[in-house]
């Protein structure tokens, strides 16, 4: 089956391809060897702690939050 991106870079899956509902979550990975994009469904009752742990950016590497007020407020 061939899927095409629309102008807003969205893919639309036919209902006959997989039993999905709006709001289902998927993990997308690109395989450069196969030149393919692989979508894996994330279970609704997934352990989000394990998902956060698998994040490539560690929480310690994030920039600190700015505590300064905006210099110019447009009211």
């Amino acid at each position: 089956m061939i899927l095409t991106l629309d102008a807003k870079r969205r893919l639309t899956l036919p209902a006959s391809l997989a039993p999905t509902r709006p709001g289902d979550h998927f993990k997308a990975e690109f395989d450069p060897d196969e030149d393919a994009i692989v979508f894996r469904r994330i279970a609704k009752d997934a352990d989000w702690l394990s998902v956060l742990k698998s994040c490539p950016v560690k929480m310690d590497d994030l920039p600190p939050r700015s505590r300064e007020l905006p210099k110019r407020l447009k009211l």
Side-chain angles (χ1 to χ4, degrees), residues 4-64:
T4 306
L5 289 171
D6 63 4
K8 293 185 178 181
R9 300 181 55 89
R10 297 178 292 195
L11 285 175
T12 303
L13 298 175
S16 62
L17 184 63
T20 58
R21 292 180 294 172
D24 284 353
H25 298 282
F26 293 88
K27 178 180 178 183
E29 297 174 343
F30 178 70
D31 185 5
D33 297 332
E34 296 290 327
D35 193 29
I37 299 174
V38 178
F39 293 98
R40 290 193 169 90
R41 186 186 323 226
I42 298 174
K44 285 198 175 214
D45 297 329
D47 181 19
W48 286 105
L49 184 59
S50 64
V51 173
L52 287 175
K53 285 181 180 178
S54 67
C55 182
V57 178
K58 300 293 181 195
M59 294 301 286
D60 298 332
D61 295 338
L62 294 176

Side-chain angles (χ1 to χ4, degrees), residues 66-75:
S66 175
R67 302 256 182 218
E68 295 180 7
L69 293 174
K71 296 192 187 317
R72 293 186 182 190
L73 293 175
K74 293 183 179 180
L75 298 175

